[in-house]
């Protein structure tokens, strides 16, 4: 079991560029989510999914898109990168449909810098 | 919307001293989870509290859930250098929204 795999580990973008952060899990988890971590702000929820074909917005969804076409994959798309999106991004998954019932398993993170 | 506040933001202690971090929610929680993130690492699940007034222990760590299910605390007895890291609480509201909201975290530094 690889757990939750995020790629790439590091990325530098210019303002206005688009890119996709990849997240895959091999634990057959129903719930998947994206968080961003900024100093002093903790972990803020961007988008989440309670199953294939279902996504919903978190606390800070603007500027990001997601899709969940399979149980395993949950990519995060930055449509037009801005310096305010410089952050560390974590993908996390949970066995049950709602993280109330089982803990989150985090990937190793992607450190994104937008210049 | 639901907010989870955590204090203090930073704590420096001498090895052997105790440490406590507090978590407060603006709304009643159905459960609360605690995570630890080592420097340069990712958050790792520690424990979940579900019942009002619940107290759970893991070796030197004691976790409490308030009677009103709106606050929680993590207490570490006799800190060690291995306790260094950031501790996060995360609350799940009473509605089935799928949103697990994290506090800002408390970063613990331990001087040997």
């Amino acid at each position: 079991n690889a757990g939750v795999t995020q790629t790439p580990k590091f990325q530098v973008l210019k303002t206005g560029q688009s890119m996709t952060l990849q997240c895959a899990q091999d634990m057959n988890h129903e719930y998947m989510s994206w968080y961003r971590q900024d100093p002093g702000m903790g972990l803020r929820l961007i988008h989440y999914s309670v199953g294939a074909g279902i996504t919903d917005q978190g606390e800070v969804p603007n500027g990001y898109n997601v899709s969940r076409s399979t149980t395993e994959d949950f990519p995060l798309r930055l449509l037009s990168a801005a310096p305010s999106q410089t952050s560390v991004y974590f993908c996390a998954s949970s066995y049950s449909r709602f993280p109330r019932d089982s803990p989150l398993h985090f990937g190793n993170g992607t450190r994104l810098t937008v210049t | 919307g639901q907010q989870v506040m955590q204090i203090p933001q930073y704590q420096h202690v001498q090895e052997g001293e105790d440490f406590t971090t507090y978590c407060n929610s603006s709304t009643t929680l159905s459960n609360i989870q605690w995570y630890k993130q080592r420097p340069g690492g990712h958050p790792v699940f520690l424990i979940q509290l579900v019942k009002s007034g619940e107290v759970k222990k893991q070796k030197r760590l004691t976790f409490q859930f308030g009677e009103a299910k709106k606050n929680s605390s993590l207490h570490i007895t006799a800190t060690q250098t291995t306790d260094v890291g950031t501790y996060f609480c995360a609350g799940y509201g009473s509605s089935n929204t799928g949103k697990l909201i994290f506090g800002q975290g408390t970063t613990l530094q331990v001087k040997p």
Side-chain angles (χ1 to χ4, degrees), chain A residues 6-14 16-22 34 63-66 75-82 85 89 110-114:
Chain A
Q6 288 185 240
T7 55
K9 290 185 180 178
F10 301 95
Q11 183 71 48
V12 179
L13 289 178
K14 289 187 174 12
Q17 286 184 318
S18 63
M19 81 156 295
T20 299
L21 307 186
Q22 301 291 346
W34 278 100
Y64 307 95
N65 274 357
V66 291
L76 178 72
R77 296 183 191 83
L78 280 70
L79 308 173
S80 177
Q85 294 179 305
Y89 291 84
T110 294
R111 186 173 293 274
L112 175 68
T113 302
V114 183

Side-chain angles (χ1 to χ4, degrees), chain B residues 54-106:
Chain B
E54 189 169 16
V55 177
K56 287 188 176 180
K57 292 192 175 185
Q58 287 181 350
K59 297 183 181 177
R60 295 177 294 104
L61 278 61
T62 301
F63 303 84
Q64 294 191 10
F65 201 9
E67 294 290 340
K69 301 184 76 173
K70 295 180 75 172
N71 58 73
S72 182
S73 65
L74 158 59
H75 179 81
I76 302 179
T77 304
T79 55
Q80 299 175 357
T81 54
T82 53
D83 295 324
V84 163
T86 300
Y87 293 84
F88 291 99
C89 61
Y92 190 85
S94 52
S95 59
N96 290 340
T97 63
K99 293 182 181 179
L100 186 64
I101 304 301
F102 280 76
Q104 299 93 326
T106 297

Side-chain angles (χ1 to χ4, degrees), chain A residues 17-65:
Chain A
Q17 286 184 318
S18 63
M19 81 156 295
T20 299
L21 307 186
Q22 301 291 346
C23 176
Q25 52 89 11
D26 61 357
M27 299 175 283
N28 201 30
H29 283 181
E30 286 206 72
Y31 180 90
M32 296 186 75
S33 57
W34 278 100
Y35 287 87
R36 60 177 288 174
Q37 184 173 26
D38 303 291
M41 306 289 287
L43 293 154
R44 292 183 291 170
L45 181 63
I46 304 172
H47 285 285
Y48 65 96
S49 167
V50 297
I54 306 168
T55 64
D56 207 345
Q57 296 182 347
E59 302 169 274
V60 288
N62 293 340
Y64 307 95
N65 274 357

